[in-house]
Short mmCIF file of all heavy atoms in Angstrom, two decimals:
data_model
loop_
_atom_site.label_atom_id
_atom_site.label_comp_id
_atom_site.label_asym_id
_atom_site.label_seq_id
_atom_site.Cartn_x
_atom_site.Cartn_y
_atom_site.Cartn_z
N ALA N 87 301.47 126.24 235.44
CA ALA N 87 302.58 127.21 235.45
C ALA N 87 303.89 126.48 235.16
O ALA N 87 304.69 126.91 234.32
CB ALA N 87 302.65 127.93 236.79
N LEU N 243 295.99 126.08 226.61
CA LEU N 243 294.94 125.84 227.61
C LEU N 243 294.63 127.12 228.37
O LEU N 243 295.53 127.92 228.63
CB LEU N 243 295.39 124.78 228.62
CG LEU N 243 295.51 123.33 228.16
CD1 LEU N 243 296.04 122.48 229.30
CD2 LEU N 243 294.16 122.79 227.71
N ALA N 447 276.80 83.15 243.06
CA ALA N 447 275.64 84.07 243.13
C ALA N 447 274.84 84.05 241.83
O ALA N 447 273.78 84.67 241.75
CB ALA N 447 276.11 85.48 243.43
#
Side-chain angles (χ1 to χ4, degrees):
Chain N
L243 289 177

